[in-house]
Amino acid sequence: MATANRTGLHPGVYESLLTQVLARQLPGDKRLYRLEELSSADSPALLARHVSDLVELVLREPRFERDIGRQLEFCNRLIESIAESSSSGVDSDDSVAETGRQLSEVYRQPKSPLAPIEPLPRPTIPFSQNALLVASKQEPALSRELKAEFASADRVDLLCAFIKWSGIRVLLDGIEAARRRGVPFRIITTTYTGTTEARALDKLASLGADIKVSYETQATRLHAKAWLFERATGFSTAYIGSSNLSHSAIHDGLEWNVRLTQPMSFALLERFRAAFETYWEDPTFEQYDPDTFNIAIRRARSGSETSIVPFDLQPYPFQREMLYQLEVERERHNRWRNLIVAATGTGKTIVSAFDYKRVRESEGYDSLLFVAHRREILEQSRDIFRNVLRDGSFGELLVAGERPREGNHVFASIQSLASVRLSDLAPDAYDVVIVDEFHHAAAPTYERLLGHLRPRLLLGMTATPERTDSMDITTWFDGHIAVELRLWDALEQGLLCPFQYFGVADNVDLSRLTWSHGGYEIGQLEKVYTGNDSRVLKVLKAIRDVVEAPEAMRALGFCVSVKHAEYMADRFNQAGIPSAAVSARSAQSERTDALRALRERRINVIFAVDLFNEGLDIPDIDTIFFLRPTESPVVFLQQLGRGLRRIEGKAGVTVLDFIGQQHRRFRFEARFRALLGGDRKKVERQVEDDFPFLPSGCSINLDRQSQEIILNNIRGALRLRGSLLSDRLRDLGDI
């Protein structure tokens, strides 16, 4: 480092051509710098930029700076030299023709010979220069620049999350003038937060704008603000920044926007064009329809999807695609037993409700049995069906002693159905049977029920079809999955909340605990974790270090036992973080009260046991604690999924996983394979390289100790498999 400083090169990163001057400044110790070969793809641009910088440096010398004639003479000699070496069409005709002049405009032919020829309005910033607009008093307002850009544009593209009438009206003169010239104007916007105004879009549509809208308000997939003014002259311009289309944003708000020009930023404008075309062709962005838009705006402003709302619900575009796939399975392939595999939070139940509505109308299938394993799931699902069908009295419950009066549309727990004599229930009693969390179907209670019923339509739903016992639930569907939207795909598409996962070593050694039946003994885990105040201190420190505002978080902590959950809640309450412990044994009222208290931030954490793993949407959750070793990829993804549901105001989910030394048979690999996809080697590379390939907004951060634990565990897995196989073969040999 000292050598580098003495040579005049400051330690740090560079991307500089190695000139003779720079080569003499390199440290004498070759270990202190790194050189890379130029790529044939990049070298033309890099070399041209270097030569351009040198030419400008020369032209700013005193002998040239005030003498445009000498500048032109120098440049023309340089062009002649280039022409002599060129075989690509550069010749003497490329020399500058006249001293001190440049072409600024070619006028349009006037409609009448009597009409005056007038120059076009121009932005204050020259068309050949990039600029940063920071809304200072010394520079023009963005609204003025945009209006002037319309005057000479041959096509306009706008990508803007929010469009309001107050923003449109200050640009109307420019937009209307462009329309009279037949300038195409394409717009992509959203209904996110209900901000975009129908009046603004109606006016733009009346002026000939072609408008597409994203209705995925929960995914918030579009938050960009960017304009592209295309010009056939080659002087296209783009504005990219923070300004939505509202009066304050484009006129006097403290917004920042970069203005790019094609002569200086050709590659960036090409990237803009390509990205815009991709969005334009994406079915997520739908052609503007006033009726559809107004319904979506009311839904976005209501902030509710499960309580009875005074307007028709509409599926999101990705849900419509799922419904279309189900329709294809039935109409083209005659499959009436179908499985939906979709990540938690993507609205499987909403899809099932719209699917039921469709077959009810098209096929006359009316009677319904909806099966789940918890009352909360059944009540939530019934609310969704009531909204979709616009029937506040639809559906009866069969759960915990509550029995239906009519029994035509029943939302039933599997436990209650298990107590019913199947011989009393006709196999064809229900036209449609929908089973939530279908990965449970391998259990005897589900097998008996599914083996008895003969519905016209069977629909299974799950986020995690893979079972740890390797039993195949797709046998109920002829080995076929009709609809598939996995966690990673949903994150990539922005349908779920991004997460930040932190692996924190807790210094707990589980390697000597008993391993039986594919896992740890609960009693031993409880003994290790309960009463371990030093571990609690680590957990509290990690929360203070990572969570932005612990006093405002809504967290769910997964524990090993009731005693462990109660212990954690007690210690957190003592630490000033209001908490509660609930389990499957807690009374229904107790669980409901805890969720309400969390939602209202009267408590910050619920510590749970065998509860909230699946099925129940808790969109308010923004923080998750893994406080027990979870090897099962199914359970891990279910627990992670509790926090991934999008709601307004939730930017992401913070996940804290407390990692100790595990038994040699514990598998981190399975968990990360479920999360990342790929084989063991791919997972190992991801862990080792700090997870470079993750969806936007997602990150996985491991402290050094937890990374070492996980890597050693993954690398040791293959060796262990080999030794177990050898032991097994030896046993067979003895036999």
Side-chain angles (χ1 to χ4, degrees), residues 183-254:
V183 174
F185 187 10
R186 297 187 298 177
I187 299 171
I188 297 176
T189 188
T190 77
T191 56
Y192 179 52
T193 72
T195 301
T196 295
E197 296 174 349
R199 181 186 181 188
L201 297 191
D202 289 341
K203 181 63 176 178
L204 289 168
S206 73
L207 293 176
D210 193 1
I211 305 170
K212 289 194 174 182
V213 181
S214 169
Y215 295 108
E216 293 189 5
T217 57
Q218 297 300 319
T220 325
R221 293 185 62 195
L222 174 65
H223 207 255
K225 300 94 177 175
W227 296 80
L228 178 61
F229 296 92
E230 293 277 23
R231 296 181 176 86
T233 60
F235 286 86
S236 298
T237 52
Y239 290 76
I240 304 170
S242 64
S243 294
N244 282 297
L245 196 45
S246 66
H247 180 271
S248 62
I250 66 174
H251 188 70
D252 54 13
L254 295 179

Side-chain angles (χ1 to χ4, degrees), residues 434-626:
I434 301 174
V435 181
D436 196 18
E437 306 299 344
F438 200 87
H439 51 273
H440 291 302
T445 50
Y446 282 88
E447 284 197 327
R448 282 195 298 271
L449 178 68
L450 293 171
H452 175 75
L453 294 176
R454 294 289 183 270
R456 298 182 181 184
L457 183 154
L458 173 66
L459 187 66
M461 303 185 295
T462 181
T464 49
E466 296 82 10
R467 290 175 53 92
T468 53
D469 58 12
S470 300
M471 296 186 73
D472 185 7
I473 63 169
T474 66
T475 55
W476 292 102
F477 308 98
D478 300 322
H480 181 70
I481 296 175
V483 179
E484 195 162 9
L485 180 62
R486 297 290 187 149
L487 173 68
W488 219 240
D489 297 322
L491 287 167
E492 288 278 9
Q493 295 179 41
L495 306 178
L496 300 177
C497 247
F499 64 81
Q500 289 183 299
Y501 172 102
F502 295 87
V504 182
D506 62 9
N507 295 332
V508 175
D509 188 355
L510 307 176
S511 61
R512 293 180 175 81
L513 298 190
T514 302
W515 185 271
S516 61
H517 306 296
Y520 294 105
E521 289 190 357
I522 298 300
Q524 291 187 4
L525 280 177
E526 179 183 272
K527 188 174 181 180
V528 169
Y529 288 140
T530 303
N532 191 338
D533 288 352
S534 63
R535 184 179 191 247
V536 174
L537 291 175
K538 279 187 173 293
V539 173
L540 291 168
K541 181 180 185 302
I543 292 171
R544 287 192 293 269
D545 291 344
V546 171
V547 178
E548 182 178 358
E551 71 281 357
M553 70 180 175
R554 292 164 169 151
L556 194 57
F558 292 100
C559 297
V560 68
S561 67
V562 173
K563 189 175 180 181
H564 181 213
E566 291 173 345
Y567 163 74
M568 292 300 300
D570 177 67
R571 292 299 188 269
F572 266 56
N573 282 317
Q574 290 180 24
I577 301 177
S579 304
V582 298
S583 71
R585 296 189 307 198
S586 302
Q588 173 65 38
S589 59
E590 188 178 346
R591 300 201 297 263
T592 301
D593 289 345
L595 285 171
R596 184 181 299 111
L598 187 73
R599 193 172 297 115
E600 296 171 357
R601 288 197 173 94
R602 288 184 282 113
I603 62 173
N604 296 116
V605 189
I606 292 177
F607 292 100
V609 187
D610 298 328
L611 196 64
F612 307 136
N613 279 9
E614 58 190 10
L616 184 65
D617 282 332
I618 317 174
D620 305 279
I621 297 297
D622 54 33
T623 310
I624 292 175
F625 306 140
F626 289 108

Side-chain angles (χ1 to χ4, degrees), residues 185-381:
F185 187 10
R186 297 187 298 177
I187 299 171
I188 297 176
T189 188
T190 77
T191 56
Y192 179 52
T193 72
T195 301
T196 295
E197 296 174 349
R199 181 186 181 188
L201 297 191
D202 289 341
K203 181 63 176 178
L204 289 168
S206 73
L207 293 176
D210 193 1
I211 305 170
K212 289 194 174 182
V213 181
S214 169
Y215 295 108
E216 293 189 5
T217 57
Q218 297 300 319
T220 325
R221 293 185 62 195
L222 174 65
H223 207 255
K225 300 94 177 175
W227 296 80
L228 178 61
F229 296 92
E230 293 277 23
R231 296 181 176 86
T233 60
F235 286 86
S236 298
T237 52
Y239 290 76
I240 304 170
S242 64
S243 294
N244 282 297
L245 196 45
S246 66
H247 180 271
S248 62
I250 66 174
H251 188 70
D252 54 13
L254 295 179
E255 309 278 353
W256 283 30
N257 294 275
V258 173
R259 199 270 207 139
L260 303 175
T261 65
Q262 188 162 325
M264 294 189 71
S265 304
F266 177 81
L268 292 177
L269 264 68
E270 283 291 286
R271 177 72 179 124
F272 189 129
R273 294 181 182 108
F276 190 93
E277 292 300 332
T278 300
Y279 294 167
W280 191 258
E281 298 302 324
D282 188 333
T284 300
F285 301 102
E286 304 179 54
Q287 205 69 40
Y288 173 62
D289 172 73
D291 292 337
T292 303
F293 178 84
N294 286 321
I295 290 171
I297 285 292
R298 290 199 300 271
R299 177 170 63 181
R301 291 172 180 170
S302 75
S304 174
E305 290 188 16
T306 54
S307 59
I308 300 299
V309 291
F311 49 83
D312 291 340
L313 289 180
Q314 296 291 331
Y316 291 119
F318 74 92
Q319 293 168 340
R320 285 204 290 274
E321 176 62 26
M322 296 165 79
L323 289 164
Y324 172 73
Q325 292 175 35
L326 289 173
E327 189 174 18
V328 168
E329 292 296 329
R330 292 171 190 145
E331 294 188 358
R332 296 186 187 175
H333 305 294
N334 198 31
R335 294 192 182 110
W336 291 82
R337 302 168 73 88
N338 290 302
L339 177 64
I340 297 175
V341 175
T344 299
T346 54
K348 295 184 293 296
T349 307
I350 291 176
V351 170
S352 72
F354 277 106
D355 190 52
Y356 172 75
K357 179 182 180 182
R358 182 169 56 190
V359 297
R360 193 186 196 192
E361 294 170 352
S362 64
E363 306 293 335
Y365 296 175
D366 185 29
S367 55
L368 167 72
L369 177 64
F370 188 103
V371 183
H373 66 293
R374 293 199 190 281
R375 183 188 189 97
E376 295 95 336
I377 300 172
L378 294 169
E379 290 177 340
Q380 193 172 73
S381 300

Side-chain angles (χ1 to χ4, degrees), residues 11 27 71 84 109 150 206 214 220 232 295 317 337 430 692 721:
Q71 292 179 17
E84 292 174 2
Q109 185 72 34
F150 271 100
S206 73
S214 169
T220 325
I295 290 171
R337 302 168 73 88
Y430 293 99
R721 290 190 189 107

